[in-house]
Amino acid sequence: MTSPRDATTDRPRLAVLGAGTMGHGIAQVAAMAGYETRLFDVLPEALEAAREQIESNLRKGIQRGKVTREESDRALEALSFTRYLSEAADGVQIVIEAVPERLDLKRKVLRRCAEATAEGAILATNTSSLSISRIAEGLPSPERVIGLHFFNPVHIMALVEIVRGVETSDETVAQARGVAERLGKTPIVIADSPGFASSRLGLALGLEAIRMVEEGVASPEDIDTAMMLGYRHPMGPLKLGDLVGLDVRLDIARYLYESLGSPIFEPPALLERMVAEGRLGRKSGRGFYRWDED
């Protein structure tokens, strides 16, 4: 088994599994924080799209004076991309899984990582709603499985939910907090419960906003403006749903409705219809808003 830290470098190693919106965002902030960062995906086109988006984010950061050219260069130098999970996980201190929200897939990926990483490596999942305890069931080292729930866009949003499963150890929680702080995030620690804190509250608001559109109460733009100007939300719930992905919103709503049995989380018919029609938000170019190619 490879040592968690290569003797030839003082730079810690981190792997991100899944090169989608959340995955490439986590990889970007990890590289900027000084981690040797490996981004894994089975699809070469996903890796190439992730590389292009990270480079675009860094260019915009330079233009806005948020990132120096030297910081951008160091981050890109720290990043590598791979289609091989064993290569991504070899010798890392922490794995952060960001694959689609399917319990069986997350469990399968983390099982392979548990076998490929050193004994003390953290096995983190970026799930926004699935039970950490259920993800950890049957894994060789459930005490090192933890939730690290980042928010989109990762390079801008400051919060990280650290979600503790039934068997997660105190040491793993402490290490995860240290990782989050090194990434420049503000961590909060949450007990493992359906939807955690942010997804449960945020989804309740988002689904009610969709019902208001469905009932003709107001336009998406006016509902979002109400929450931004009336409650100082940085973004309205419908535009946020478009950014997260309406298909992701629907999956979480179904899970929480099944888990909690509350009518608050019953998916609105409008959301079901939009997802069936492929109107998924920014990723498809159209949701409650039209999105230009970036």
Side-chain angles (χ1 to χ4, degrees):
M1 184 70 69
T2 304
S3 169
R5 187 188 294 269
D6 191 298
T8 63
T9 179
D10 288 330
R11 188 162 60 188
R13 292 174 174 175
L14 178 150
V16 180
L17 312 180
T21 300
M22 297 306 296
H24 73 64
I26 297 167
Q28 177 182 330
V29 298
M32 294 186 71
Y35 283 94
E36 180 186 329
T37 305
R38 291 96 171 261
L39 181 57
F40 159 83
D41 203 290
V42 294
L43 299 175
E45 59 269 28
L47 291 174
E48 184 56 34
R51 184 196 303 271
E52 291 174 0
Q53 187 60 58
I54 291 170
E55 290 174 350
S56 174
N57 289 343
L58 291 171
R59 282 196 302 272
K60 290 176 182 176
I62 293 170
Q63 292 166 3
R64 294 169 182 166
K66 304 291 186 181
V67 179
T68 67
R69 189 167 299 279
E70 292 75 18
E71 289 170 335
S72 174
D73 290 343
R74 282 198 300 270
L76 293 174
E77 189 273 332
L79 272 169
S80 61
F81 303 80
T82 179
R83 294 174 55 200
Y84 304 100
L85 184 60
S86 59
E87 182 177 82
D90 182 43
V92 299
Q93 284 81 58
I94 179 168
V95 169
I96 303 176
E97 164 276 307
V99 302
E101 288 283 281
R102 292 190 354 238
L103 179 64
D104 58 338
L105 177 59
K106 290 180 180 293
R107 193 179 281 162
K108 178 181 177 181
V109 166
L110 288 180
R111 174 179 290 279
R112 289 181 61 191
C113 288
E115 296 166 352
T117 54
E119 185 175 341
I122 298 172
L123 304 175
T125 171
N126 182 56
T127 181
S128 57
S129 61
L130 297 178
S131 167
I132 306 305
S133 301
R134 290 193 64 194
I135 290 173
E137 280 178 6
L139 295 186
S141 305
E143 72 280 356
R144 55 183 174 129
V145 178
I146 196 164
L148 277 181
H149 178 208
F150 292 80
F151 293 79
N152 184 38
V154 180
H155 64 290
I156 294 174
M157 301 295 282
L159 181 65
V160 169
E161 279 186 309
I162 296 176
V163 187
R164 179 175 194 151
V166 171
E167 296 193 64
T168 306
S169 69
D170 291 342
E171 181 182 4
T172 298
V173 173
Q175 290 175 335
R177 184 188 291 275
V179 171
E181 291 173 346
R182 176 166 181 153
L183 296 181
K185 305 303 181 183
T186 301
I188 59 173
V189 179
I190 303 293
D192 190 15
S193 60
F196 315 141
S198 62
S199 291
R200 187 165 170 176
L201 290 169
L203 189 66
L205 177 62
L207 294 179
E208 188 59 26
I210 294 172
R211 293 187 188 99
M212 291 171 67
V213 174
E214 195 171 47
E215 295 165 7
V217 173
S219 68
E221 293 84 356
D222 285 347
I223 292 169
D224 281 350
T225 298
M227 298 312 297
M228 292 167 65
L229 300 185
Y231 289 84
R232 295 191 175 182
H233 289 197
M235 182 181 296
L238 296 166
K239 181 167 281 190
L240 179 60
D242 270 12
L243 281 175
V244 170
L246 297 181
D247 52 338
V248 175
R249 284 290 211 202
L250 179 57
D251 284 344
I252 297 172
R254 288 170 173 166
Y255 171 72
L256 291 183
Y257 183 54
E258 179 183 346
S259 300
L260 299 171
S262 170
I264 292 172
F265 299 106
E266 184 174 9
L270 175 58
L271 178 60
E272 298 266 15
R273 186 167 66 250
M274 290 176 71
V275 172
E277 292 172 353
R279 293 171 56 188
L280 309 181
R282 185 179 183 181
K283 68 175 75 175
S284 68
R286 189 180 175 203
F288 287 101
Y289 293 83
R290 290 187 177 275
W291 297 85
D292 294 327
E293 288 294 328
D294 197 43

